[in-house]
Amino acid sequence: MASFKEIRKRINSIKSTRKTTSAMKMVSSAKLHKAENRISNMLPYAEALHHVMEASLRDGYADALSHKRPVRNVAIIAFASDSSLCGAFNSNVSRELQRAVESYRQSPEIENISVYTIGRKIYEAIKKTDITVTGHFENLAGKSDYEVIADFAESLIRRFENRETDRVELIYHHFKSAGSQALVREQLLPVAFRNANEDNGTDYIFEPSHDGLLKSLVPKSVKLQLYTALLDSNASEHAARMIAMQTATDNADDLVGELTVEYNKSRQQAITNELLDIAGGHAGA
């Protein structure tokens, strides 16, 4: 059995760790609140953009960014975090990225796979594998910089239009709630127009024409989808870290409770032994 001093030392050490995990949970909670606000502030614009595009597409529209062709060159963009202590958040992205690359490698039609990483942890994890990282964005996972994402989207669009890339995919965590983040793998290019034949209940007047307007809106929607993935990943990271720190705090409380019981039992046993020694000494006298 451990001595009183050792048990007290362990209890103090765990309490110190608990203070750290509890503080990190509060910090993550505050950052999550800000990330949720960024997402909710963007939703009205995103919904309006989609409604206008769907209304335009009811009359039919063909765009270079929606053109499907045989897939030979693929680009995969993986979103993770710059720091750890967020549970399985980063490892899930790493495994899904490796599965995606492996599935494409097994296809004889695929000639080239370009991998882009956003987040230091996914970059470090992939560098240890046989996957070559084509591009990495440092310190972008926590900043949510639209200008950087927009420039990156522009480069992807140019590569797609020049037939240097035939498909672009995203791997990231979609933020559903503070307790639920879903890992998704979705297509960015070619653009998949959804609900194009449904009536959204709004009549629009297009100037100069709906084709001219869509030539501007479709690239914007690509940038918006890429930016949304960044915001989703950022919010999911803070939610995952908040849950991980809450779990660590609860475990610390449980361990302190168990050690306190052990300490009290040991202390009581020591007192009993001392009383017995004293009683035995008096009896011998």
Coordinates of all heavy atoms in Angstrom, one line a residue, residues 104-135:
Y104 N -8.3 5.5 -54.5 CA -8.0 6.1 -55.8 C -6.7 5.4 -56.4 O -6.7 5.2 -57.6 CB -7.7 7.6 -55.7 CG -9.0 8.4 -55.7 CD1 -9.3 9.3 -54.7 CD2 -9.9 8.4 -56.8 CE1 -10.4 10.1 -54.7 CE2 -11.0 9.1 -56.8 CZ -11.3 10.0 -55.8 OH -12.4 10.7 -55.8
R105 N -5.8 5.0 -55.6 CA -4.6 4.3 -56.1 C -5.0 3.0 -56.7 O -4.3 2.5 -57.6 CB -3.6 4.1 -54.9 CG -2.8 5.4 -54.6 CD -1.9 5.1 -53.4 NE -1.0 6.3 -53.1 CZ -0.2 6.3 -52.1 NH1 -0.2 5.3 -51.2 NH2 0.5 7.4 -51.9
Q106 N -6.0 2.4 -56.2 CA -6.5 1.1 -56.7 C -7.2 1.2 -58.1 O -7.4 0.2 -58.7 CB -7.4 0.4 -55.7 CG -6.7 0.0 -54.4 CD -7.6 -0.6 -53.4 OE1 -8.8 -0.8 -53.6 NE2 -7.1 -1.0 -52.3
S107 N -7.5 2.4 -58.5 CA -8.2 2.6 -59.8 C -7.1 2.8 -60.9 O -6.3 3.7 -60.8 CB -9.1 3.8 -59.7 OG -9.6 4.1 -61.0
P108 N -7.1 2.0 -61.9 CA -6.1 2.1 -63.0 C -6.3 3.4 -63.8 O -5.3 3.8 -64.5 CB -6.4 0.9 -63.9 CG -7.8 0.5 -63.6 CD -8.1 0.9 -62.2
E109 N -7.4 4.1 -63.7 CA -7.6 5.3 -64.5 C -7.0 6.5 -63.9 O -6.7 7.5 -64.5 CB -9.1 5.6 -64.7 CG -9.9 4.6 -65.6 CD -10.3 3.4 -64.9 OE1 -10.2 3.4 -63.6 OE2 -10.6 2.4 -65.5
I110 N -6.7 6.4 -62.6 CA -6.1 7.6 -61.9 C -4.6 7.7 -62.2 O -3.8 6.8 -62.0 CB -6.3 7.4 -60.3 CG1 -7.8 7.3 -60.0 CG2 -5.7 8.6 -59.6 CD1 -8.6 8.5 -60.5
E111 N -4.3 8.9 -62.6 CA -2.9 9.2 -63.0 C -2.1 10.0 -61.9 O -0.9 9.8 -61.7 CB -2.8 10.0 -64.3 CG -3.4 9.2 -65.5 CD -3.4 10.0 -66.7 OE1 -3.0 11.2 -66.7 OE2 -3.8 9.5 -67.8
N112 N -2.9 10.9 -61.2 CA -2.2 11.7 -60.2 C -3.2 12.1 -59.1 O -4.4 12.3 -59.3 CB -1.7 13.0 -60.8 CG -1.0 13.9 -59.9 OD1 0.0 13.6 -59.3 ND2 -1.5 15.1 -59.7
I113 N -2.7 12.0 -57.8 CA -3.5 12.4 -56.6 C -2.7 13.5 -55.9 O -1.6 13.3 -55.4 CB -3.7 11.2 -55.7 CG1 -4.3 10.0 -56.4 CG2 -4.5 11.6 -54.5 CD1 -4.4 8.8 -55.6
S114 N -3.4 14.7 -55.8 CA -2.8 15.8 -55.1 C -3.5 16.0 -53.8 O -4.7 15.9 -53.7 CB -3.0 17.1 -55.9 OG -2.4 17.0 -57.2
V115 N -2.7 16.1 -52.7 CA -3.2 16.2 -51.4 C -2.8 17.5 -50.8 O -1.7 17.9 -50.8 CB -2.7 15.0 -50.5 CG1 -3.1 15.2 -49.0 CG2 -3.2 13.7 -51.0
Y116 N -3.9 18.2 -50.3 CA -3.7 19.5 -49.6 C -4.1 19.4 -48.2 O -5.2 18.8 -47.9 CB -4.5 20.6 -50.3 CG -4.1 20.8 -51.7 CD1 -4.7 20.1 -52.8 CD2 -3.1 21.8 -52.1 CE1 -4.3 20.3 -54.1 CE2 -2.7 22.0 -53.4 CZ -3.3 21.2 -54.4 OH -3.0 21.4 -55.7
T117 N -3.3 19.9 -47.2 CA -3.7 19.8 -45.8 C -3.8 21.1 -45.2 O -3.1 22.1 -45.5 CB -2.6 19.0 -45.0 OG1 -1.3 19.7 -45.2 CG2 -2.5 17.6 -45.5
I118 N -4.9 21.3 -44.4 CA -5.1 22.5 -43.6 C -5.2 22.0 -42.1 O -6.1 21.3 -41.7 CB -6.4 23.1 -44.0 CG1 -6.4 23.6 -45.5 CG2 -6.8 24.3 -43.1 CD1 -7.6 24.2 -46.0
G119 N -4.2 22.5 -41.4 CA -4.0 22.0 -40.0 C -2.7 21.3 -39.8 O -2.4 20.3 -40.5
R120 N -1.9 21.7 -38.8 CA -0.6 21.2 -38.6 C -0.6 19.7 -38.3 O 0.3 18.9 -38.7 CB 0.1 22.0 -37.5 CG 1.6 21.5 -37.3 CD 2.3 22.5 -36.3 NE 1.6 22.7 -35.1 CZ 1.7 21.9 -34.0 NH1 2.5 20.9 -34.0 NH2 1.0 22.2 -32.9
K121 N -1.6 19.3 -37.5 CA -1.6 17.9 -37.1 C -1.9 16.9 -38.3 O -1.2 15.8 -38.3 CB -2.8 17.7 -36.0 CG -2.4 18.3 -34.7 CD -1.2 17.7 -34.1 CE -0.8 18.3 -32.8 NZ 0.4 17.7 -32.2
I122 N -2.7 17.2 -39.2 CA -2.9 16.3 -40.3 C -1.7 16.3 -41.2 O -1.3 15.3 -41.8 CB -4.2 16.7 -41.1 CG1 -4.4 15.7 -42.3 CG2 -4.1 18.1 -41.7 CD1 -4.7 14.3 -41.8
Y123 N -1.0 17.5 -41.3 CA 0.2 17.5 -42.1 C 1.3 16.6 -41.5 O 2.0 15.9 -42.3 CB 0.7 19.0 -42.2 CG 2.0 19.2 -42.9 CD1 2.1 19.0 -44.3 CD2 3.2 19.5 -42.2 CE1 3.3 19.2 -45.0 CE2 4.4 19.6 -42.8 CZ 4.5 19.5 -44.2 OH 5.7 19.6 -44.9
E124 N 1.5 16.7 -40.2 CA 2.5 15.9 -39.6 C 2.2 14.4 -39.7 O 3.1 13.6 -39.8 CB 2.6 16.3 -38.1 CG 3.2 17.7 -37.9 CD 3.2 18.2 -36.5 OE1 2.6 17.5 -35.6 OE2 3.9 19.2 -36.2
A125 N 0.9 14.1 -39.6 CA 0.5 12.7 -39.6 C 0.7 12.1 -41.0 O 1.2 11.0 -41.2 CB -1.0 12.5 -39.2
I126 N 0.4 12.9 -42.1 CA 0.5 12.4 -43.4 C 1.9 12.3 -43.9 O 2.3 11.5 -44.7 CB -0.4 13.2 -44.4 CG1 -1.8 13.1 -44.0 CG2 -0.1 12.9 -45.8 CD1 -2.4 11.7 -44.0
K127 N 2.8 13.2 -43.4 CA 4.2 13.2 -43.7 C 4.9 11.9 -43.3 O 5.9 11.5 -43.8 CB 4.9 14.4 -43.1 CG 4.6 15.7 -43.7 CD 5.2 15.9 -45.1 CE 6.7 16.1 -45.0 NZ 7.3 16.4 -46.3
K128 N 4.3 11.2 -42.3 CA 4.9 9.9 -41.8 C 4.4 8.8 -42.7 O 4.9 7.6 -42.5 CB 4.4 9.7 -40.4 CG 4.9 10.8 -39.4 CD 4.4 10.5 -38.0 CE 4.9 11.6 -37.0 NZ 4.3 11.4 -35.7
T129 N 3.5 9.0 -43.6 CA 3.1 7.9 -44.5 C 3.7 8.1 -45.9 O 4.6 8.9 -46.1 CB 1.5 8.0 -44.7 OG1 1.2 9.2 -45.4 CG2 0.8 8.1 -43.3
D130 N 3.3 7.2 -46.8 CA 3.9 7.3 -48.2 C 3.1 8.3 -49.1 O 3.3 8.3 -50.3 CB 3.9 5.9 -48.8 CG 2.5 5.3 -48.9 OD1 1.5 5.9 -48.3 OD2 2.3 4.3 -49.7
I131 N 2.2 9.1 -48.5 CA 1.5 10.1 -49.3 C 2.2 11.4 -49.4 O 2.8 11.9 -48.4 CB 0.1 10.3 -48.6 CG1 -0.7 9.0 -48.5 CG2 -0.7 11.4 -49.3 CD1 -2.0 9.2 -47.7
T132 N 2.3 11.9 -50.6 CA 3.0 13.2 -50.8 C 2.1 14.3 -50.6 O 1.0 14.3 -51.2 CB 3.6 13.2 -52.2 OG1 4.6 12.1 -52.3 CG2 4.4 14.5 -52.4
V133 N 2.4 15.3 -49.8 CA 1.6 16.5 -49.6 C 1.9 17.5 -50.6 O 3.1 18.0 -50.7 CB 1.8 17.0 -48.2 CG1 1.0 18.3 -48.0 CG2 1.4 16.0 -47.1
T134 N 1.0 17.8 -51.5 CA 1.2 18.8 -52.6 C 1.2 20.2 -52.0 O 2.1 21.1 -52.4 CB 0.1 18.7 -53.6 OG1 0.0 17.4 -54.1 CG2 0.3 19.7 -54.8
G135 N 0.4 20.6 -51.1 CA 0.3 21.9 -50.5 C -0.2 21.9 -49.1 O -1.0 21.1 -48.7

